[in-house]
Amino acid sequence: MDRTQTALNYRNILIMTAVEAEREAVLRGIAKAASGQGSTEQAKFDVQLCGVGPISAAAETAAYLAANPKYDLVISAGIGGGFTDRAEIGSIAIADSIIAADLGAETGDGFSSVDKLGFGSSSIPVASALTEELTKSIQSAGWAVCSGPILTLSTVTGTRETADELKRRIPGAVAEAMEGYGAAFAAHRLNIPVMEIRTISNAIGPRNRELWRIGDALQALEQACYNLAEVLQR
């Protein structure tokens, strides 16, 4: 059965986060929205851990979907790195596509994605109507938000050279993390719509943990999920 939806009538939502701190931020945002909804019909959110990396995310998401065939939307949510000219630290990034940025092969002419190699697709489409509504809602709340490709990498970027190469290969990319494509792939093969939300803890490039603002990113994640719950209750 094709369960792809265009309207915002999602009622059973699975949200996958890599670690507990992200899960707690998501739950705080949802709870805050629910407290102001009164007796209106509520979307049901199931927030689960998937571990770190695309393989763990794919396996855990697939297991939840197999055990609970009720979900009509799957969201990968958490913190991540932002490209400095698109998504500043503390801001919110919403994927307009979810891309496995290092799935492919090195060649003499540079990197070739699986698309170019003819082995499938490194990009998964998102629930575009919900993405647009969520972006508008976050903007109305006064938070910095952008939309664009969010990259999934098994090894996160740690140099300026790699950051520049990713921006060259994937124009408009806003953020990177490690789980989005894995969770999205598990859902997409069952025709379940997907989203990815990343809030920015650090700039993509040279790795410097002293400059990371994880607390700010978790606060932004709470806000993003508050707006998500509000949008889905309309």
Side-chain angles (χ1 to χ4, degrees):
M1 177 178 64
D2 188 344
R3 290 183 282 180
T4 302
Q5 301 182 24
T6 56
L8 305 186
N9 58 338
Y10 305 108
R11 283 294 171 259
N12 292 286
I13 299 105
L14 175 63
I15 300 179
M16 304 300 291
T17 71
V19 298
E20 184 62 33
E22 295 169 328
R23 180 175 181 271
E24 291 174 355
V26 170
L27 288 170
R28 287 195 300 270
I30 292 169
K32 181 179 177 182
S35 68
Q37 290 299 324
S39 60
T40 59
E41 181 183 358
Q42 304 255 330
K44 296 177 181 178
F45 295 91
D46 188 2
V47 187
Q48 299 290 345
L49 297 176
C50 67
V52 175
I55 296 173
S56 180
E60 292 296 329
T61 304
Y64 279 110
L65 295 176
N68 302 278
K70 62 183 180 180
Y71 299 112
D72 49 33
L73 177 68
V74 173
I75 300 173
S76 178
I79 67 176
F83 289 100
T84 54
D85 56 343
R86 296 297 309 279
E88 298 297 331
I89 293 175
S91 68
I92 300 167
I94 312 295
D96 68 7
S97 60
I98 300 170
I99 296 177
D102 56 3
L103 183 59
E106 285 188 317
T107 74
D109 297 321
F111 179 83
S112 287
S113 69
V114 291
D115 310 68
K116 292 182 179 179
L117 296 170
F119 297 145
S121 177
S122 59
S123 179
I124 294 176
V126 301
S128 58
L130 178 54
T131 294
E132 292 171 8
E133 287 300 313
L134 178 57
T135 301
K136 292 175 185 176
S137 177
I138 293 170
Q139 287 173 334
S140 297
W143 284 73
V145 59
C146 63
S147 181
I150 294 182
L151 314 185
T152 299
L153 295 154
S154 295
T155 302
V156 296
T157 302
T159 67
R160 174 56 52 199
E161 292 76 15
T162 300
D164 290 343
E165 172 63 13
L166 288 171
K167 288 164 61 177
R168 184 193 66 78
R169 284 203 288 111
I170 307 164
V174 294
E176 71 170 26
M178 301 180 74
E179 295 78 35
Y181 186 88
F185 186 86
H188 185 63
R189 72 183 303 272
L190 297 174
N191 295 315
I192 300 173
V194 299
M195 286 185 66
E196 184 170 6
I197 301 168
R198 293 290 159 188
T199 55
I200 307 305
S201 61
N202 59 280
I204 297 170
R207 189 174 176 84
N208 185 348
R209 288 293 298 268
E210 293 181 358
L211 298 178
W212 290 16
R213 287 165 34 196
I214 292 176
D216 290 348
L218 291 173
Q219 184 178 5
L221 182 59
E222 179 179 336
Q223 178 65 38
C225 291
Y226 168 81
N227 288 105
L228 172 70
E230 278 206 322
V231 167
L232 288 172
Q233 308 300 351
R234 292 175 184 170

